Amino acid sequence: MKKNLAFVLGGGGGRGALQAGALRALFEADVFPDMLVGTSAGAVNAAYLAMRGANLAGVEALEKAWLVAAGLNLFPSNFLWLTVRTLFNRPTPVVSHRLQEFFISQGLSAEMRFGEIPGVRVYLVAADLSNGKTVVYGNDPQESLLEGLLASTALPPWVSPIAKPDQLLIDGGAVSTLPIEPALSQGATEIIALDLQDNRMIPTEAQGFGPFMARVINTVENRQKEMELALAEAHGVKVRLVHLEGPEPTPLWDFTRSAELIECGYKQMWGAMDSWEADHRPPWLAWLSHRLLRKSRQPRGMK
């Protein structure tokens, strides 16, 4: 069977900067994907690498884009007000326009098609509320990469669902916040999954509807992840699950910590790779490889 290594990039809003650092570490270790599968923030990272290349040059450009995003108010923090407007059928289009403008400013044109992506297959995950199903962009080479990204990042209350004939599309995290199953359906034989879920954000004692819903959503996401990992195991597909998190809990809407999170993701990915089982190497060779890798990643400045 042909090897198909998938990088599975989970959702997490501003925490997506962690994945940028982790991707740099993977590329520095000469680990490159055959496919990229992303949900929400993970879809942003996958689409960006599709444009710029799944390599060190591409991830350097991705890091710079996250630093630009840190200075923009892409997801306003007044989400309660936005939620009330949405409940009363008064959605705020400014946010969705701001996201689209940002993607276009970074070089993602409306004309770019999945079939034009060189070197790596890319799949972006959205949820269809009309049919209760997962929608995976990327199977049709004529599909718009920008449309797939906008669908995968349509996260209420910030971004309204995208209405199409017979479809109502929202953020892919509604069906698969860490899209392992979509990667399996596209033929992945190995998976490196970069998870952004941060359980520290979940209130454990606070009362009220908001904290209650936060716990409900967290439970659903955990169950999704468990089921998709079990499905991969049943198919004999090895999943290397890497949980990325910043030194402090980062809300979905907070993009201001991008520089710090990039560096955290970079270090955590190297730590994860160090802990992976050596492929039956003798102890002396494993020790030597560890020393060489440590030397290759001395502290670096942000480019």
Side-chain angles (χ1 to χ4, degrees):
M1 180 185 294
K2 180 183 177 182
K3 169 182 166 290
N4 280 301
L5 172 61
F7 286 1
V8 168
L9 309 178
R15 298 194 291 272
L18 288 158
Q19 291 176 349
L23 288 164
R24 173 182 282 275
L26 285 163
F27 295 157
E28 285 182 356
D30 291 326
V31 181
F32 298 94
D34 299 295
M35 70 174 79
L36 295 162
V37 185
T39 287
S40 197
V44 174
N45 291 331
Y48 204 95
L49 292 182
M51 289 191 299
R52 301 298 181 92
N55 50 42
L56 281 172
V59 84
E60 180 177 334
L62 176 62
E63 289 178 344
K64 290 179 179 177
W66 275 103
L67 294 179
V68 171
L72 303 175
N73 191 23
L74 291 177
F75 278 14
S77 59
N78 58 337
F79 66 97
L80 290 177
W81 178 80
L82 293 171
T83 301
V84 170
R85 284 186 60 89
T86 301
L87 289 173
F88 285 93
N89 200 28
R90 294 290 188 273
T92 305
V94 175
V95 179
S96 56
H97 292 170
R98 194 177 297 162
L99 268 183
Q100 180 170 329
E101 289 168 2
F102 175 72
F103 295 148
I104 292 174
S105 74
Q106 293 299 313
L108 180 52
S109 71
E111 291 73 31
M112 187 171 186
R113 308 296 166 185
F114 280 88
E116 299 171 7
I117 299 170
V120 65
R121 289 180 287 151
V122 176
Y123 302 98
L124 309 181
V125 179
D128 179 8
L129 296 185
S130 294
N131 301 294
K133 293 182 179 180
T134 302
V135 175
V136 178
Y137 280 84
N139 285 305
D140 181 352
Q142 295 306 312
E143 284 181 321
S144 163
L145 183 62
L146 180 59
E147 180 185 314
L149 182 54
L150 291 173
S152 187
T153 55
L155 179 62
W158 292 281
V159 183
S160 299
I162 296 176
K164 298 184 65 178
D166 302 320
Q167 287 184 318
L168 187 64
L169 303 176
I170 68 166
D171 188 285
V175 288
S176 186
T177 192
L178 187 65
I180 292 171
E181 187 278 329
L184 295 173
S185 70
Q186 301 305 324
T189 60
E190 301 175 49
I191 292 173
I192 296 174
L194 304 183
D195 183 21
L196 300 177
Q197 187 177 1
D198 192 342
N199 290 324
R200 297 173 301 173
M201 292 297 303
I202 308 305
T204 57
E205 297 180 359
Q207 301 299 311
F209 182 74
F212 171 77
M213 286 306 302
R215 290 196 287 268
V216 170
I217 292 171
N218 185 62
T219 301
V220 171
E221 289 180 346
N222 282 330
R223 185 57 176 162
Q224 285 177 347
K225 195 185 313 180
E226 289 174 359
M227 294 296 290
E228 295 193 44
L229 286 167
L231 184 63
E233 184 177 3
H235 282 77
V237 174
K238 184 175 182 61
V239 178
R240 296 191 184 275
L241 178 62
V242 183
H243 181 72
L244 302 172
E245 63 181 26
E248 298 178 359
T250 303
L252 290 172
W253 58 86
D254 186 358
F255 288 78
T256 64
R257 304 177 187 177
S258 291
E260 178 185 31
L261 295 182
I262 289 170
E263 209 56 40
C264 286
Y266 179 78
K267 293 174 181 176
Q268 288 170 22
M269 189 69 243
W270 274 115
M273 287 190 287
D274 283 348
S275 70
W276 292 349
E277 292 180 357
D279 49 350
H280 305 293
R281 293 175 296 177
W284 67 266
L285 182 56
W287 176 86
L288 179 60
S289 297
H290 176 83
R291 295 288 295 178
L292 290 174
L293 285 173
R294 286 289 185 189
K295 186 176 180 180
S296 73
R297 59 179 193 274
Q298 295 301 314
R300 58 186 179 82
M302 291 297 302
K303 294 182 176 62

